[in-house]
Amino acid sequence: MHEPGRALFGYLHGGSARAPLSPAASRRPPPPPLPGKMMKFRFRRQGHDPQREKIKQELFAFNKTVEHGFPNQPSSLAFDPKLRIMAIGTKSGAVKIYGAPGVEFTGLHRETATVTQMHFLPEQGRLLSLLDDNTLHLWEIYQRDGYSHLEETRSFILPGRPGFDSTNSPPSITRVTVILLMSTCDVACLGTEGGGIYFLELPGLTLLEDKSLYQDEIMQGVPEDYRCGKALGPVESLQEHPQNPSKILIGFSRGLMVLWNKSTRDVEHLFLGNQQLESVSWERSGRTVVSSHSDGGYAVWSVTEDSPKSIQPVTSTIPYGPFPCKAINKIVWQTCESGGHFIIFSGGMPRASYGDRHCITILHGQTLVTLDFTSRVIDFFTVYNTEVEEEFDNPTALVALVEEELVVVDLQMPGWPTIPAPYLAPLHSSAITCSYHISNVPLKLWERIISAGEQQSPRLSSGNWPISGGRNLAQEPTQRGLLLTGHEDGTVRFWDASGVSLKPLYKLGTAHIFQTDCEHNDSLNQSGDEEWPPFRKVGCFDPYSDDPRLGIQKIVLCKYTAKMVVAGTAGQVLVMELNDEKSEHLINVAVVDLLQDREGFTWKGHDRLTPKNGSLPFTQGFQPTTLVQCMPPAAVTAITLHSEWNLVAFGTSHGFGLYDYYRRNPVLARCTLHPNDSLAMEGPLSRVKSLKKSLRQSFRRIRKSRVSGKKRVNTSSPSSKVQEANAQLAEQAGPHEVEMTPVQRRIEPRSPDDSLSGVVRCLCFADTFLRDAAHHGPTMWAGTNSGSVFAYALEVPSQEKFSERSVEAVLGKEIQLMHRAPVVSIAVLDGRGNPLPEPYEVSRDLAKAPDMQGSHSVLIASEEQFKVFTLPKVSAKTKFKLTAHEGCRVRKVALVNFASVVCEDYAENCLACLTNLGDIHVFTVPGLRPQVHYDCIRKEDISGIASCVFTKHGQGFYLISPSEFERFSMSTRNITEPLCLLDLSNAHDITCLGSNFTATPKLNQANGTHALQGSEANHSPASNDRTPDEQEASFSPTPVDSPNNSIDTPLDTTGEITAEEVKDYLVPSEEAERNMRNMTEDEARSPGILIK
């Protein structure tokens, strides 16, 4: 006979719920249950089956694969003209290298410091980076297993000047301000804030102390009248003579430039500038120097062998004068075979009138254009002919990195148009408000979307993308994937998410449908003929929204009928269809009152958007046919579309509605407001929440939890005495072979009068059994913030009678979850436990027909637990209490199909869940057995968790910054990652990178969480390491943990027994009474009523 206390002790010390039972424990019979309320614990079932563990390894693997979009907070830029690759450094210490589409490398400095400068060692695949902590780092691209990888191999920090008192001299004296890589690529020159120049041997990063050049050595050759007892200031520029590598042009902050001969260690020429120096550039022949200054001007200097030692400028001009101008930060002079020369510079704008503009000016002959960007210019470079034997530069493209985007200008085409970027598109050209992914897009729809995008923005430049180095070795995507992003300005952007590069396809705008305060005026973007400076708007980053009500909140698209629904912040629901031609038509407007004349509620939020009157012109692409306006005009929180039934359902914080867009007829409106839902009437754009009321509600919750806690503690009760005995037993030693499930956290029920309890969180359509077990039909399901689920039976006419009969909706079931946790998702499963196919999938032979013979079930995911109910009786079948077990809350869920990497025909449907702690959990369906558990997003990254979207085949996206998506994969088969090769002249294999170098997988990403490395990527608390005995164990024919196991999982009856409240509106009252009587007589027949 087992003692109850001993059993509980084994539970307390039995370790993790995920640890397998020992063989001894598996042979022992379970102890008898404890009396009364002590039925809180149950023994685990048999341990993990080796066959199931093997299947898990073939199905699940977590990897962070690629970062899509534009790097957040870029700080530096570099280009290798030989390999044609570009590097971008960021303020978070990330280094990102790009070549041809699909060729990408990402590295992260161990120090979280800003990358201030980067320089490629041409044609070597090496990159030298400087951080703002004054450390230098060498990165190398090496080959391993047939692919190229990026690794940091060496680092260096400049020591103090020998002979100086380091305790009294400022540390900034050796702070590196500028780096010059000599054309021989074996030496780097470092200019410092103290005016000294140091030389580093490459690639070893060894300081050549005997070659160091200090400012006092240079000052000896400076005329006395120029010195005036003042220092020359920091080194601002270092430029190698284009025809003589032994000569270096040194520019100091004060304005002096010196042509220094390294061989003879003497000053050949002095350029006596009288304005603070910003930048210096050589002309290709070495006979001309151009310098830019802090007063917004630039000077041209002539250099010949006959020139005197001290040189004055030939010309000096302030292009945007005569009034005070801002500094010209960088200037480039390049020659053309066709005549004339290019002068390209950033900055120099008149302070008073255009001091807030971010510009790059291109001057060629008599042509001058001022490129006007919407964010700060970081750096730029030109793509030109670098062959030594060539006489002219002949620049072909200008590449400008600004704070929020990358812009490439074609310098060969008349008018200098921009070249569209195949990657690095600014996802956040307007702030992203929502996202939606579509897998396996049909080819016809794909081509129609691309055609609409090409018509929308015709290509003006015939130039090729200049950053084209490397080869993409990744296989062509097996299916086409679309990522749709909704934005604050009312646009929806379509992205090709099939491969490594996220390519823009098409942009849909909704603002022109409404009367907004600030109408778009394209003429503002075009400069007038006589305007000075001649501004030209370039780039697409536009962070300003005409009206915050335009923001897109929800998107849904039917890939088979090209029908799309877009819903926004002011309650607008737009039904659209794809049209291959331009058109001009009226938009049908319908207003749906979700309050249903309920008294006592006054909307205090924003007004609705007013649609424009009359026919409106629409370009090729998605065109709106119907506008459904929810009243009050609160933000839409959920939408769903069923194109086969011509129905769209939508929900807000006040209720939900159903609309027949074929007959243009509202079918249903249901108010979900609780009498105390005052916050729901304020809207997201009004900040009138009462602090007093908020504090009052918080104190009420505290008081309730204290009272309920006191009620639970009763020292005289038998159960409390047993608890005391268990506590004493916990201090003693006991048998380790008895292992139990972990203690579950007690979850306090939520108050029904919590604010915003009426928010509709999810909606879904399903053809299932709601009335009875013999007849199936269309249904609609809605879940709210208060744990309520409404199920409606729909009367949908056949295709032939759509125009004759209207759709009708009858409330069938109403379920109230006892803990009132918000319902995050609802999905109906067929008789085999598989998700129901999408509309038109079966009729077009794209999916198997669902099993309509066996009993269907509905999977309801709340923020705290997952439950599967049988249909049509809505009795509980299985559940998993995530919050009680793991202490986290559900944020995102999706049904995902995981395909095996070993067997092409084997796949499983699972439930993927992202929690508020940033973890991903995967469960079997419908058994709800935990499979794997991964750390994905930092728990502090609330916006990243909120932005996450799962794909149907085991991948996902989430924002790691306003401009970047991190892509991850939970599947062993479906992985999208860069696989590329960079052909190097002196290809260094992993063996030549130094004895202290060890290659690692992908390093920590720049802005997200750490990627799992090594064995951690496939290891999780839910799949522990197996012992050799377990690996050699014989495979069981039906694994206990398998989703295909036909044995129903018994209900987890841990905790106090509570009952769900289920109202059936389709069953006659006599039958309902009979059902209730049967339930009390035979609990086993309907265990679902006895769950928590």
Side-chain angles (χ1 to χ4, degrees), residues 10-86:
Y11 164 71
L12 291 170
H13 280 259
S16 168
R18 303 182 180 95
L21 283 173
S22 63
S26 63
R27 290 192 296 268
R28 295 177 59 165
L34 296 178
K37 289 189 177 180
M38 288 313 294
M39 289 179 61
K40 286 195 175 185
F41 310 102
R42 59 179 174 81
F43 279 92
R44 286 180 55 86
R45 296 183 297 278
Q46 297 273 330
H48 290 301
D49 181 67
Q51 184 181 10
R52 182 60 193 165
E53 291 300 313
K54 183 173 180 290
I55 292 174
K56 281 185 190 178
Q57 293 179 2
E58 295 168 359
L59 291 175
F60 311 114
F62 184 80
N63 291 285
K64 290 183 179 178
T65 54
V66 67
E67 293 166 10
H68 294 304
F70 184 77
N72 187 43
Q73 297 184 310
S75 56
S76 56
L77 179 69
F79 180 63
D80 185 335
K82 299 289 187 183
L83 295 177
R84 301 184 83 81
I85 55 176
M86 174 185 69

Side-chain angles (χ1 to χ4, degrees), residues 531-606:
E531 183 184 0
W532 184 261
F535 290 116
R536 186 208 292 172
K537 275 279 189 208
V538 286
C540 59
F541 177 73
D542 182 11
Y544 306 107
S545 172
D546 288 347
D547 192 325
R549 297 174 295 173
L550 291 169
I552 305 299
Q553 295 297 322
K554 296 291 175 182
I555 307 167
V556 63
L557 170 65
C558 174
K559 60 187 177 184
Y560 302 113
T561 59
K563 287 276 196 306
M564 184 165 74
V565 180
V566 174
T569 305
Q572 71 270 31
V573 179
L574 284 163
V575 182
M576 302 187 164
E577 60 183 26
L578 186 57
N579 193 337
D580 298 326
E581 304 291 337
K582 296 180 181 178
S583 75
E584 186 169 333
H585 60 261
L586 283 167
I587 299 176
N588 175 60
V589 180
V591 178
V592 177
D593 180 17
L594 296 179
L595 288 183
Q596 293 293 288
D597 302 323
R598 188 175 292 199
E599 297 179 357
F601 290 96
T602 305
W603 171 247
K604 303 173 186 175
H606 50 264

Side-chain angles (χ1 to χ4, degrees), residues 394-596:
N394 291 329
T396 57
L398 167 68
V399 180
L401 174 68
V402 295
E403 207 164 31
E404 306 293 353
E405 59 188 322
L406 184 84
V407 177
V408 179
V409 178
D410 187 344
L411 297 178
Q412 292 180 303
M413 289 279 291
W416 301 328
T418 56
I419 301 174
Y423 48 77
L424 283 176
L427 302 174
H428 63 317
S429 49
S430 173
I432 294 176
T433 49
C434 65
S435 51
Y436 179 78
H437 185 271
I438 308 144
S439 303
N440 294 323
V441 178
L443 179 60
K444 186 176 180 182
L445 173 62
W446 188 264
E447 291 172 343
R448 292 175 70 190
I449 290 173
I450 290 176
S451 173
E454 290 173 347
Q455 194 70 25
Q456 188 177 59
S457 52
R459 185 184 174 96
L460 299 175
S461 169
S462 58
N464 294 323
W465 182 248
I467 304 151
S468 54
R471 286 182 288 147
N472 180 15
L473 301 182
Q475 293 183 350
E476 282 295 313
T478 54
Q479 53 95 12
R480 292 167 291 276
L482 264 182
L483 181 65
L484 275 58
T485 53
H487 297 264
E488 195 177 48
D489 62 354
T491 58
V492 177
R493 294 166 197 260
F494 291 64
W495 308 90
D496 178 0
S498 311
V500 170
S501 299
L502 195 66
K503 184 181 177 183
L505 297 179
Y506 167 68
K507 182 175 82 171
L508 165 68
T510 62
H512 65 286
I513 300 168
F514 303 101
Q515 299 174 15
T516 55
D517 297 334
C518 305
E519 294 293 334
H520 284 285
N521 190 354
D522 294 334
S523 63
L524 292 177
N525 296 333
Q526 305 298 326
S527 59
D529 292 340
E530 299 182 2
E531 183 184 0
W532 184 261
F535 290 116
R536 186 208 292 172
K537 275 279 189 208
V538 286
C540 59
F541 177 73
D542 182 11
Y544 306 107
S545 172
D546 288 347
D547 192 325
R549 297 174 295 173
L550 291 169
I552 305 299
Q553 295 297 322
K554 296 291 175 182
I555 307 167
V556 63
L557 170 65
C558 174
K559 60 187 177 184
Y560 302 113
T561 59
K563 287 276 196 306
M564 184 165 74
V565 180
V566 174
T569 305
Q572 71 270 31
V573 179
L574 284 163
V575 182
M576 302 187 164
E577 60 183 26
L578 186 57
N579 193 337
D580 298 326
E581 304 291 337
K582 296 180 181 178
S583 75
E584 186 169 333
H585 60 261
L586 283 167
I587 299 176
N588 175 60
V589 180
V591 178
V592 177
D593 180 17
L594 296 179
L595 288 183
Q596 293 293 288

